[in-house]
Amino acid sequence: MTQTTNYPVLSFQEFRSQYEHIQHSESPLTVLYIHGLASNPWGRKPETVKSLCIEKQINFFRFELLGHGSDSSNYEKTDFHFWKKQILDIIDHHISGDFIIVGHCIGGWLALLAGQERPDRLKGIICTSTAPNLTELMQMKMSPEQGEELKQSGKVLIKIERMVFNFTRQFIQSGIDNAILEQPDIPITCPVHLIQGLKDTFIDWKVIYRIANKLQSDKVTLKLLKNGNHHLQMPKDLEEINNSLSCLAASI
């Protein structure tokens, strides 16, 4: 029996975000999908992951990060501390049994942050176009004038690739506080798949080597997609993401 919860709202103090939870009565496993910055969980990648979960009768949970999607008016109030707490709340109170996390961009960073906090039921992580060095990237992109603007107003607009992002001082500090690549290691021992496109002009694909070297797990798979860009939305990209998910699910 399959039960679908159709886009209700989860409340996290003053924040509200939409989510979808598909549950199969016989499945002990849930896939938790975490989207990227300035995005949402309703696009091509999460739909493809959802379709595989339905096919294999795996539970599926996707949600809007605070300050995104229907909660976008609260974006400037949020940061990595809020998002990590949100994910841990979902894991602790809305998902039962074992779980796999699929995270894109900062969703991959958050997957690693949450994963090291809740290792007992975590059975695998898939990171696509992971951006655990986003704070470093922002600091490199920021001009002295923008640095002064951030100091004076508490926020600054920075263009990365074809997009302009509004970064607050609070957001940047939270990224520094959660700089996972600055840890001595990443205490995650479950299987991890790191998928990166060689044509990613947003995040340097070589960052996956830094992540792999930090992970305690000895089951780390690196996938470099020759024609993949940052978004990883082409059919071949989506196929590789689902191949990784199928592999992890089959090993449980």
Side-chain angles (χ1 to χ4, degrees):
M1 180 180 177
T2 302
Q3 179 182 352
T4 302
T5 304
N6 190 29
Y7 308 150
V9 172
L10 282 174
S11 294
F12 300 87
Q13 298 176 349
E14 74 267 35
F15 303 101
R16 297 166 66 82
S17 64
Q18 290 187 339
Y19 74 101
E20 181 181 34
H21 193 186
I22 299 175
Q23 296 176 280
H24 301 274
S25 58
E26 301 301 319
S27 178
L29 178 67
T30 297
V31 170
L32 174 62
Y33 184 89
I34 309 174
H35 66 81
L37 183 66
S39 185
N40 62 67
W42 318 115
R44 197 176 302 164
K45 275 191 302 298
E47 283 294 331
T48 300
V49 173
K50 171 186 172 179
S51 295
L52 182 68
C53 290
I54 291 174
E55 175 188 332
K56 295 186 174 294
Q57 295 200 326
I58 299 170
N59 304 324
F60 177 73
F61 196 110
R62 59 177 168 176
F63 67 101
E64 295 170 340
L65 288 170
L66 302 175
H68 289 74
S70 61
D71 190 49
S72 59
S73 62
N74 286 314
Y75 172 73
E76 291 188 11
K77 300 178 184 178
T78 61
D79 59 37
F80 285 96
H81 295 304
F82 280 96
W83 295 329
K84 184 167 72 171
K85 288 178 182 177
Q86 179 187 15
I87 294 164
L88 294 178
D89 181 89
I90 289 170
I91 292 170
D92 293 344
H93 301 112
H94 300 281
I95 292 176
S96 60
D98 297 333
F99 63 95
I100 293 171
I101 306 178
V102 180
H104 181 73
C105 189
I106 66 161
W109 183 356
L110 289 162
L112 296 171
L113 289 171
Q116 66 183 6
E117 298 281 346
R118 298 293 186 272
D120 293 344
R121 293 159 35 204
L122 178 64
K123 299 303 177 183
I125 296 177
I126 299 171
C127 296
T128 65
S129 302
T130 318
N133 58 336
L134 180 62
T135 306
E136 297 174 18
L137 178 63
M138 286 188 297
Q139 291 171 329
M140 288 190 295
K141 294 278 186 181
M142 198 182 306
S143 67
E145 293 77 15
Q146 288 173 316
E148 185 61 27
E149 180 185 348
L150 178 66
K151 182 178 178 181
Q152 295 297 325
S153 69
K155 58 185 177 182
V156 64
L157 296 177
I158 299 178
K159 184 176 181 180
I160 304 177
E161 205 179 34
R162 295 187 304 274
M163 297 183 67
V164 177
F165 295 92
N166 182 13
F167 293 122
T168 65
R169 185 165 48 230
Q170 169 186 328
F171 174 93
I172 294 172
Q173 185 58 52
S174 74
I176 294 170
D177 294 343
N178 289 284
I180 202 164
L181 292 178
E182 298 303 316
Q183 298 177 185
D185 59 20
I186 303 174
I188 289 175
T189 58
C190 68
V192 179
H193 284 220
L194 303 171
I195 306 175
Q196 212 84 5
L198 292 180
K199 293 185 177 179
D200 189 338
T201 57
F202 185 85
I203 296 294
D204 185 350
W205 58 266
K206 300 182 189 70
V207 72
I208 61 174
Y209 293 117
R210 295 171 64 188
I211 300 170
N213 286 332
K214 292 281 185 177
L215 285 164
Q216 287 185 0
S217 175
D218 58 1
K219 298 177 181 178
V220 180
T221 299
L222 276 60
K223 291 186 177 183
L224 297 175
L225 307 185
K226 182 177 180 179
N227 295 311
N229 61 20
H230 181 71
H231 306 289
L232 294 181
Q233 291 184 338
M234 299 301 290
K236 289 289 186 181
D237 305 332
L238 299 174
E239 181 181 348
E240 280 303 329
I241 294 169
N242 272 1
N243 283 345
S244 286
L245 180 53
S246 294
C247 178
L248 291 179
S251 68
I252 299 172

